Structure formats: C-alpha cells, structure tokens
Amino acid sequence: MTVLAVTNLSRRFGAITVADNLSFEVAQGECLGIIGPNGAGKTSVFNMLTGNVKPEAGRIVLDGKDMTGATAHARTKAGLGRTYQVPQPFGRLTAFENVLAAAVFGGGAGHAAQHRARDVISRTGLKARADKPAESLPLLDRKRLELARAMALRPRLLLLDEIAGGLTEAEVHELVELIQELKPDVAMVWIEHVTHALSAVAERILAINFGAEIASGLPDAVMRDPAVLEIYMGAVLDAPA
Amino acid sequence: MTDLRSKLVTGAALLSAVLLIAMPHAMAEGNLRYIVEIFCVFAFAQSWNFLAGYVGLMSFGQQLFIGLGAYFVFVLSNRLGLNPFWIVPLAFVFAGTFAALISPLVFRLRDAYFAISIWVIAEIVRLFIAQRDFLGSVSGLPLMATRGMDRSLVAMWTFYLAALLAFLAVFGLYYLSRSRLGLALAAVRDNEGTAASIGINVWWTRFVGFVVGSGFTGAAGAVYYMSVFQVQPGGAFDPNWMVIMLFIVIIGGIGTVEGPIIGTAIYFLLRAFFSGTGNLYLMLLGAAAIAVMMVSAKGIWGVFRDFSGIDILGARRASGFDTHTKS
C-alpha cells in the first residue's frame, strides 16, 4: 500500500534548481534511499516533505491526503515522523521526556503515552540514560533519541536525514539493525551519504543531481550506474565488467 | 518516590493555604502590608520567570502589564463605584487580552527585538496615560472605593488577594509545569522546530503562555497598587520593576519554582539593610546578580539542585526505569 506519493515536485532558489520534476512513491514496509552529491537538493527535497520549504510545483500525498501546503505540525498529525541530520533534541528535557512529548502530542494521552515512551526508550537502547538531560548525551545516543522521538509518534512515514553521518562503523551497524527492526511498520525515506548503510536497508535508491533524477532502482544497479559513477568519481570510468 | 513527592507537595500546598488564611488574624496591620508587598513583588518575578524560563519568551517590558492591571482596576472602580477587590480577576483578563492583541505583532520579532518591543509598548502606554486627564495624567489616580471601607477589612482582603497570587505563583506554576501544556511549553522553549515536528502548534502554545503569564503580572500589578491606594504612570510603568524581576529570577534560578522564592528573600533582605544608601543599593543589587551569574547562570537554586540532587518543585517527569543499574 502506497503511503507517500510525490509527483512532479519542483523548486528553485534563484538560479539553483533543488528539485526538478521529481516523482517517487513509497509503500509501507519499504525504504527509499535518496543519494546525491553535496548541493544536489537532497535536503531541500526533505524539507519539502516535512513542510519547511514550499514546492513551486508538484504534489505531496500522504496516505491519500494532499499535504503539499500543510504545516509541519499538521503533517505530523497526518502520520509523518522525521529525524534531524544534526540532532535537535529538547535539550533541557530528559531523554525520556523528549520521547514522552512525542508520544503525548503524537496522539496518545496519559498512561498510553507513558507506556509507549517507556517501550520506545527500551527498544532504542536509551534505558540507562533515560533520565539524563538530552543535551548531555553523546552523539550516538542523540541519534538514537532522534529515532526514538520519531518512533513515539507511531508514524506512517518515517523520514531519516543522514542519521548515520558522523558515527563510527560499529555505531552505524547498531543503528542499521535498529532501523531494520522498525521498517515493517512504516514507509521510509532515507537520505544518506553513508551508502553501505543505505544499501543494507533500502529496496530502492533514487540518485539526484541539480534536483533532477539521474538514476533509480535497485541499490546495486544505481551504485553501478555510469551517471552516478561520473558524479561521485568526477569522470566516466570504464564500466566494470 | 514520585508518589511520595507529589503527596509532599500537596501537603505543603494545604499547609500553606491554612497558614495564609490564618495570617491576617495573627498579625499587625503594618506587618501585613509589608508581606503584601513581598508577595506582589514575588508574583511579578515569578510571572517573568514563567515567561522566560518556562515559555522561552524573554520580555524586557513586563512593567507594561503591571501598569495595565493597576490602571484597569483603578479606573473601573473609580468610574463605576465598584468594589475593587472583585475586579482583580478581571485585571487578569484585561492584561491577558492586551497581551493577546499585541501577540500577532510582537511574535514576528525574535529574541532581543521581542524583548525590547514590549518595553517600547510599555513606554507608549505610559505616555498615553500621562497625557489623558480622565486617567489622572502624570499625577495618577487615587483609589476612591476603599476610603469608605473598614480599614482592617481592606487590609485583610488585600492580603488575601496577594496571598492567592503568591500561592498560585508557587503551586499553580508547579502543577502547570507538570501538565500537558507544561510539556508543550518546555518543548517549544527548547526547540521550536522539533516541537512542530512532533505535532505541537508552536504559535498557539507560545501564545497561551504569553497571555497567561502577562495576565498574571496584570493581576499582581492591580493588587500591588491597590495596597498603596494610588497609581501613577511613572511608577506603574517604571522599567525599574523589570530590573527587580530580573534580579530576583537570575539570582534565584531561572526556570525553577524555588529560585524566585530565594531571590525575593534576598532582594528584600538587601533592601532592608542598604535602603539608606540610595544609589549604592541599586549597585549592590547589580553586583550581586553579576556575582551569581559568574558562578553559574543557573542561579542559587539551580546550582543547589544539581549539586544535591534535591528537586522539590521541578517539572521533571521520571522515566520509572531503574537507571542506577546498567541495562
């Protein structure tokens, strides 16, 4: 079942095109990875999905409802959860309170929200630091908290913004396992530079440059696509046999 | 542990209520008047603490609402011959409505610009009142209605209103900060983008906080000036009120219920000892605030709480996990 349907999304900032007629769909249990070099428009596409940037043309449909012009909090009510590339916790609240707030305002109240927050904290491995202020947590825990907060909303669509960035190999591995666990319940769009993490989770990858699609399909195929190789390697290499 | 604490706070609230109700019957009128002043100044400080430390709105013009609340009660009571004690709740509504009306304007401004915009509005309102004869112009208004009333009765009801303000400034703030609204306010205060991303309506949450906090300042302003029976624009809209609020909150600990209690005590102690020294006393206040800030921006209670682990009236919601054993 299709959760997110994006059609002909376009946006320019002055002379720079950040989204050029992009279309894609994501179904429940599926993960779409978006890759592209710096400045390709990944974050802008992300911001249009979250409602922080308005598209000039195109439609964003979430669970059958048109969300193209909706505010960020309205999208959340409609089933969107997101993480931030640079973790953005409620710094003075504890890890538990961060997750609790999401559980409370994501639709649950009272004991149900309390219960869900505790459950999510356990699943994301934050139990030992649950009562510490979020601003005091190390990076991996703050990344986990990003995921935990988004999960507590019980989203239909989960948007991950470079969540593996800045982590060590072992930490990336831990995070990937966690994301795998969540996947069946949501549709996922994951923007990432750490491509091996992405390939482990995503069924499909969309490569963009200057806001336009240059390749899409199975991860392996996209990674071997000459157009993608050219962008990442800077020149056309002889195609590997 | 959490259950015990909430029982302790409920117990403390009941005990305080009983003591406050008994107080006017056991005290001389002069002392009562002094306590009224302390309670009102505490309520001013706590309302600013609420805005700055709980809502995340730093205003440098809260004297605006002190003056508005005071003038509202004086004008309405004098014009219509009403008992001013009944109008105090309406002063909350009036100041809150004023805050609501300026919100669309001032919320477009951020940080320092927001802070100063309220100050500018306070000056505009002060000048407006100072130039209107029917509002008493620069020399202000006396409170007529209380002249014909029994003196000790007036003292008692003024005390009860001030006591109610102080009570709400402690226990009302405690329960509010632990409520659903309190959680939304804390989220918006800490990170408005993330708050929106979990489904909180940032603008409305902040709006409600601003209206409630400013309305409370207005009610406290009304009681303060009722207790001195006259109001003047220069005094009611005096930026020095803001200085006192800042001093009390910064020194005691911003974003805590207990901090301004300590700050108010220190303020009145310093004033009692150094009031004869004129300008020196204001410099001492400033020096004390700077000294505390150099040690820690968390203020006296903030440092004590972090050091001792004692948190009585804090809003922190415990996870209930046993975090001493590693999971």
Side-chain angles (χ1 to χ4, degrees):
Chain A
M1 182 198 160
T2 303
V3 174
L4 174 70
V6 172
T7 40
N8 307 114
L9 200 66
S10 295
R11 168 81 209 208
R12 266 178 310 198
F13 290 116
I16 300 165
T17 305
V18 292
D20 185 4
N21 217 20
L22 284 175
S23 298
F24 50 87
E25 286 191 354
V26 195
Q28 181 173 339
E30 193 190 22
C31 175
L32 171 73
I34 300 181
I35 61 167
N38 287 326
K42 299 187 300 294
T43 299
S44 296
V45 169
F46 199 89
N47 285 338
M48 282 188 268
L49 296 179
T50 60
N52 294 70
V53 170
K54 298 258 171 287
E56 283 161 348
R59 259 158 65 84
I60 298 166
V61 177
L62 178 57
D63 253 343
K65 278 165 288 187
D66 191 326
M67 286 283 136
T68 314
T71 59
H73 64 88
R75 285 174 208 231
T76 305
K77 300 273 185 230
L80 185 146
R82 69 163 300 176
T83 67
Y84 287 91
Q85 181 182 352
V86 178
Q88 300 283 338
F90 305 122
R92 285 190 265 171
L93 299 183
T94 65
F96 174 71
E97 288 175 314
N98 269 262
V99 178
L100 180 68
V104 167
F105 298 105
H111 285 297
Q114 197 93 12
H115 187 79
R116 182 141 40 107
R118 286 169 57 92
D119 179 52
V120 169
I121 286 276
S122 301
R123 281 175 70 188
T124 47
L126 287 166
K127 225 165 138 175
R129 294 198 174 91
D131 292 312
K132 295 261 184 297
E135 61 195 359
S136 73
L137 299 177
L139 182 64
L140 177 61
D141 282 340
R142 271 184 282 148
K143 295 255 178 185
R144 282 177 170 148
L145 186 56
E146 286 294 308
L147 210 50
R149 198 185 55 230
M151 278 165 65
L153 296 168
R154 276 196 303 204
R156 298 273 300 135
L157 171 68
L158 181 59
L159 304 177
L160 304 178
D161 191 3
E162 300 197 15
I163 194 159
L167 297 180
T168 65
E169 272 308 304
E171 289 173 339
V172 168
H173 186 72
E174 253 185 79
L175 205 63
V176 164
E177 278 188 358
L178 188 56
I179 292 168
Q180 289 280 25
E181 228 181 277
L182 308 177
K183 211 174 128 191
D185 304 326
V186 295
M188 216 180 263
V189 175
W190 185 359
I191 289 176
E192 191 56 77
H193 271 304
V194 185
T195 46
H196 68 87
L198 198 55
S199 304
V201 179
E203 279 82 12
R204 286 182 298 129
I205 283 184
L206 169 68
I208 61 173
N209 199 17
F210 300 111
E213 175 179 323
I214 51 168
S216 83
L218 295 170
D220 282 352
V222 171
M223 298 300 182
R224 260 185 273 126
D225 191 287
V228 174
L229 287 174
E230 185 185 342
I231 287 163
Y232 277 95
M233 307 305 173
V236 186
L237 303 173
D238 291 328
Chain B
M1 147 78 200
T2 4
D3 276 349
L4 177 68
R5 189 179 79 161
S6 73
K7 274 182 192 135
L8 274 174
V9 174
T10 314
L14 289 173
L15 187 68
S16 313
V18 170
L19 284 175
L20 289 172
I21 289 169
M23 245 183 193
H25 304 289
M27 248 183 209
E29 209 184 295
N31 292 339
L32 225 48
R33 192 164 296 160
Y34 191 44
I35 295 172
V36 166
E37 190 192 353
I38 294 173
F39 281 174
C40 285
V41 169
F42 171 63
F44 294 157
Q46 197 69 301
S47 66
W48 188 77
N49 177 38
F50 171 68
L51 289 176
Y54 291 79
V55 186
L57 286 173
M58 198 78 82
S59 157
F60 286 163
Q62 287 311 101
Q63 72 273 17
L64 166 64
F65 299 100
I66 296 179
L68 284 174
Y71 267 93
F72 175 78
V73 167
F74 275 60
V75 171
L76 213 61
S77 171
N78 287 355
R79 295 265 143 187
L80 305 176
L82 295 172
N83 182 334
F85 295 107
W86 295 114
I87 312 176
V88 171
L90 290 179
F92 176 92
V93 176
F94 179 74
T97 306
F98 193 92
L101 291 175
I102 63 170
S103 294
L105 204 69
V106 293
F107 280 9
R108 302 177 76 94
L109 304 169
R110 277 298 147 86
D111 306 323
Y113 298 97
F114 171 82
I116 289 165
S117 70
I118 317 272
W119 188 355
V120 170
I121 294 170
E123 284 300 297
I124 293 169
V125 173
R126 179 180 68 80
L127 290 169
F128 177 86
I129 290 175
Q131 288 164 6
R132 295 295 176 289
D133 284 336
F134 74 99
L135 295 173
S137 67
V138 281
S139 50
L141 295 169
L143 188 60
M144 313 289 241
T146 47
R147 287 182 179 170
M149 294 182 189
D150 179 58
R151 252 187 64 166
S152 60
L153 219 57
V154 169
M156 187 178 84
W157 283 111
T158 310
F159 175 84
Y160 278 146
L161 282 174
L164 178 65
L165 290 171
F167 184 85
L168 287 175
V170 175
F171 298 103
L173 181 55
Y174 169 76
Y175 286 110
L176 177 63
S177 70
R178 295 182 64 82
S179 70
R180 187 185 157 97
L181 174 62
L183 187 59
L185 288 171
V188 170
R189 173 200 66 195
D190 280 5
N191 196 319
E192 61 179 274
T194 310
S197 88
I198 61 166
I200 295 173
N201 189 324
V202 171
W203 200 92
W204 276 103
T205 304
R206 201 176 263 154
F207 175 80
V208 170
F210 185 54
V211 167
V212 170
S214 301
F216 193 77
T217 316
V223 175
Y224 179 87
Y225 281 98
M226 279 164 64
S227 77
V228 294
F229 305 114
Q230 61 169 16
V231 62
Q232 288 163 344
F237 295 94
D238 190 345
N240 265 331
W241 279 127
M242 202 54 245
V243 176
I244 295 168
M245 290 186 233
L246 277 167
F247 170 83
I248 290 174
V249 174
I250 286 170
I251 218 168
I254 191 166
T256 67
V257 175
E258 297 91 337
I261 300 176
I262 297 168
T264 306
I266 292 173
Y267 169 71
F268 277 95
L269 284 174
L270 282 178
R271 209 182 67 170
F273 284 118
F274 298 106
S275 59
T277 58
N279 283 341
L280 185 63
Y281 140 76
L282 284 172
M283 285 188 222
L284 279 169
L285 284 189
I290 290 169
V292 169
M293 276 192 286
M294 300 274 278
V295 177
S296 170
K298 289 173 177 170
I300 292 172
W301 181 261
V303 170
F304 172 78
R305 183 192 57 192
D306 291 355
F307 184 74
S308 67
I310 295 170
D311 184 13
I312 308 164
L313 297 168
R316 192 155 284 179
R317 296 151 185 86
S319 68
F321 290 121
D322 183 6
T323 47
H324 297 292
T325 52
K326 261 218 167 286
S327 62

